[in-house]
Amino acid sequence: MVRLRAPAKLNLYLRVLGRRPDGYHELETLFERISLADELSFRLAPQGLSLTCDHPTLSCGEENLVLRAARLLQRVCGVRQGAAIHLTKRIPIAAGLGGGSSDAAATLLGLNRLWRTGCSIRQLCGLAAQVGSDVAFFIHQAPFAIGRGRGEQCEPLAGRLPRLWHVVVSHDAQLATSQVYAEWDASTSTLTESAPSITMSVHALRNGSHDELAKGLYNDLEPAAIRRCPIMRTIRGLLLEGGAAGALTSGSGPSVFGVCRSHPHAKRVAQFMRRRGAPTWTIRIAWTAP
Ligand code: C5P
């Protein structure tokens, strides 16, 4: 049996450069892998693929990215064996935290080991890109990476980088990524000429400067996500009022995260959010996954 953790991600920076002829959007983004994680186990089966999950509403049908990734690897590598996959879900669904993409990446990594298919990281990234735009980032298993193209062209950041502390707020709204991009298309207010550059965020990260990093937090999808889900504005405002150095929507939302300087700082901000936030919000402390 193979067991793997599938971590969530935050986008510390996300700039939409434009719509592409294939309908996707050209991006420049800074990914961070965080401690909040699902868990997957993979057991050999004589044939066939099965998926079970502890989550009451998540579909385990063919549209689940775990099964799509498993079938793709099986077909491309001509694998005759099957697998029984179990998913323990902790990352909120359709929350902008990359849970489904990370599960798919863990499936490619886990089954590559279980079936001894011997694919390289580069080959797995090629398969990952066919499953979803964010999947390749999780194949690299790097704490930080720059994503370009649809997000699938990933360049992990090398060298010693600091651990960041966050307060991540999720709530019961779900946002479909495609809808948020469509809203971005329809918007005339998203003029990105004055956006900070990704280089500034990477520089701040390398220098371990939380305040500079907080200044560079940027997400072109945030206005579109907030238009669909206005409570996110309140959450972002409260994170700042509670003392976070900066706050931003992750990916296409609706999760919002704060950047903190240390674990005690994150605890103070989380306490404030628990006191002032709605009872339906889930407030978690998360940190850069090693
Ligand atoms: O690639 P993935 O399946 O995760 O994308 C979900 C949806 O998000 C796409 O169908 C597309 O509508 C939108 N998307 C986009 N540009 C990207 C990534 C996603 O338009 N770079």
Side-chain angles (χ1 to χ4, degrees):
M1 184 170 88
V2 174
R3 221 184 247 283
L4 285 180
R5 279 166 69 79
K9 60 86 182 160
L10 300 175
N11 300 81
L12 299 171
Y13 181 99
L14 193 161
R15 186 163 183 192
V16 181
L17 301 172
R19 193 162 196 266
R20 311 184 340 171
D22 63 5
Y24 281 89
H25 294 75
E26 195 70 13
L27 302 183
E28 194 174 49
T29 187
L30 176 55
F31 289 111
E32 178 192 0
R33 209 162 73 121
I34 59 167
S35 52
L36 171 65
D38 291 342
E39 208 173 284
L40 288 99
S41 67
F42 306 89
R43 282 174 202 279
L44 269 183
Q47 57 186 17
L49 286 169
S50 66
L51 172 64
T52 52
C53 173
D54 66 343
H55 193 281
T57 59
L58 183 67
S59 159
C60 290
E62 287 300 319
E63 69 283 8
N64 190 302
L65 294 189
V66 167
L67 281 183
R68 281 178 43 198
R71 292 223 184 278
L72 183 64
L73 185 71
Q74 201 181 32
R75 181 165 51 76
V76 168
C77 297
V79 177
R80 294 235 174 100
Q81 285 169 306
I85 308 171
H86 183 73
L87 168 61
T88 307
K89 197 75 199 155
R90 297 197 195 95
I91 306 171
I93 296 165
L97 299 172
S101 302
S102 186
D103 295 342
T107 301
L108 291 171
L109 291 164
L111 291 180
N112 190 40
R113 218 189 282 172
L114 189 77
W115 288 336
R116 299 179 196 274
T117 30
C119 291
S120 64
I121 291 295
R122 201 189 151 94
Q123 286 166 323
L124 291 178
C125 281
L127 298 180
Q130 296 179 45
V131 181
S133 304
D134 286 348
V135 183
F137 164 62
F138 295 106
I139 295 288
H140 286 290
Q141 299 182 287
F144 299 96
I146 294 179
R148 298 186 200 278
R150 283 192 288 132
E152 90 290 11
Q153 293 166 22
C154 258
E155 182 198 328
L157 294 186
R160 263 183 85 80
L161 294 162
R163 170 187 283 182
L164 303 180
W165 290 93
H166 304 286
V167 173
V168 181
V169 183
S170 27
H171 42 108
D172 37 18
Q174 293 188 345
L175 282 179
T177 308
S178 54
Q179 286 176 352
V180 176
Y181 275 102
E183 184 87 21
W184 183 87
D185 286 336
S187 155
T188 49
S189 63
T190 319
L191 297 171
T192 61
E193 286 88 45
S194 59
S197 82
I198 196 166
T199 319
M200 185 179 134
S201 298
V202 173
H203 194 254
L205 192 60
R206 291 207 186 282
N207 289 342
S209 166
H210 294 91
D211 291 329
E212 284 296 307
L213 190 76
K215 262 192 242 158
L217 288 177
Y218 183 81
N219 185 346
D220 267 331
L221 295 176
E222 184 168 69
I226 289 180
R227 266 196 299 280
R228 288 203 154 251
C229 186
I231 193 70
M232 292 168 59
R233 190 196 303 279
T234 310
I235 296 173
R236 201 188 49 186
L238 273 181
L239 280 165
L240 295 174
E241 199 186 322
L248 191 72
T249 299
S250 183
S252 55
S255 297
V256 182
F257 65 93
V259 172
C260 300
R261 293 181 193 87
S262 61
H263 190 198
H265 182 206
K267 282 204 268 195
R268 285 197 299 278
V269 175
Q271 254 165 20
F272 175 89
M273 293 302 289
R274 290 193 183 109
R275 227 177 26 246
R276 296 282 300 278
T280 50
W281 300 354
T282 306
I283 293 142
R284 293 183 176 89
I285 293 176
W287 55 94
T288 313

